[in-house]
Amino acid sequence: MEIFTIYGLDYIVRWAHFLAGITWIGLLYYFNFVQTEYFKEAEDAHRAGAIRTLVPRALWWFRWGAMFTFLTGVLLLAYRHQIISFDITIGAVLGTLMFLNVWLIIWPNQKIVIASANQVAEGGEALPEAAGAAPKAALASRTNTLFSLPMLFFMGSSAHFSHGLVLSASPVALVIVMLIILALEGNAIAGKQGPLTTVRGVIGSGVGLTVVLYGVMVCL
């Protein structure tokens, strides 16, 4: 049976990568396009209840979806390293930064927000650090949404659109792309949301970033 050959095992790893990625990115879009907008309009009691009961469940699937997407991606890169192209390199870097944002910024700060909501529900005072934790998590989450558009574009182009991109790309272009990405990641750590504040803004910025990165790769 082909499923037990090296080609079958390769497909199983890819399938696991796709499945985990759909879980992760689907919840990322839920948080940014649905939940965040609902929280802006919800009454305090409803918002607090969702933070205590709904958000922890969604974050469990979110962070472990990110973990398994990352691990299966590393596995794929480990045994397919000889055919890594410029576009898969860009996609992998974006995906890795998104993974790190989940585990090092979004989840730690969301734990503070959830703990504060639970403490208030039990009759205590809100944790003072919760006021600063929520914006940090939100900025990193918005940045991940921004990154997700070019990440998916370049991951897809590595298999379906890579021929022209790989032939025309240069190491200089790759360096410039990486500097742009790192600058945006720096903003995610200690910057402001800016145009990422709104759903329209983050989608538009994501499309714009994709166009810029692709343009750099094919024009330089």
Side-chain angles (χ1 to χ4, degrees):
M1 296 176 64
E2 188 176 3
I3 196 68
F4 296 112
T5 67
I6 187 63
Y7 302 106
L9 292 175
D10 175 70
Y11 180 72
I12 291 298
V13 177
R14 286 174 176 270
W15 173 70
H17 187 60
F18 295 155
L19 185 60
I22 289 169
T23 302
W24 176 20
I25 301 303
L27 282 166
L28 174 68
Y29 291 164
Y30 159 75
F31 284 131
N32 282 273
F33 300 156
V34 180
Q35 180 178 285
T36 298
E37 299 307 301
Y38 165 73
F39 279 0
K40 291 178 181 178
E41 302 174 359
E43 297 178 2
D44 291 344
H46 293 166
R47 183 168 55 250
I51 291 173
R52 291 188 294 110
T53 58
L54 173 64
V55 172
R57 289 179 172 87
L59 282 171
W60 189 92
W61 288 98
F62 176 70
R63 66 181 185 274
W64 288 109
M67 177 64 76
F68 282 100
T69 303
F70 175 74
L71 292 178
T72 52
V74 169
L75 183 58
L76 285 169
L77 291 175
Y79 72 80
R80 297 178 65 89
H81 60 86
Q82 72 277 9
I83 57 173
I84 295 176
S85 59
F86 280 162
D87 41 6
I88 199 67
T89 299
I90 296 170
V93 168
L94 287 166
T96 299
L97 290 174
M98 291 169 63
F99 162 75
L100 293 173
N101 285 341
V102 169
W103 281 91
L104 300 182
I105 302 177
I106 298 173
W107 174 232
N109 283 288
Q110 286 286 11
K111 283 196 294 184
I112 296 172
V113 174
I114 294 168
S116 180
N118 286 330
Q119 189 161 299
V120 170
E122 294 169 359
E125 296 292 328
L127 297 176
E129 58 268 35
K136 291 178 182 177
L139 176 56
S141 186
R142 288 297 202 191
T143 301
N144 273 10
T145 307
L146 170 72
F147 282 170
S148 71
L149 274 73
M151 183 272 292
L152 292 170
F153 177 88
F154 286 107
M155 286 294 188
S157 72
S158 67
H160 303 288
F161 192 51
S162 61
H163 185 68
L165 177 58
V166 172
L167 287 179
S168 60
S170 70
V172 172
L174 185 62
V175 169
I176 293 174
V177 164
M178 292 303 166
L179 289 175
I180 294 172
I181 292 170
L182 290 177
L184 292 170
E185 177 61 20
N187 183 75
I189 297 171
K192 297 180 179 180
Q193 287 194 25
L196 306 183
T197 303
T198 66
V199 170
R200 179 178 297 181
V202 74
I203 293 175
S205 297
V207 172
L209 178 61
T210 304
V211 171
V212 168
L213 297 186
Y214 177 72
V216 169
M217 292 303 293
V218 299
C219 294
L220 295 183

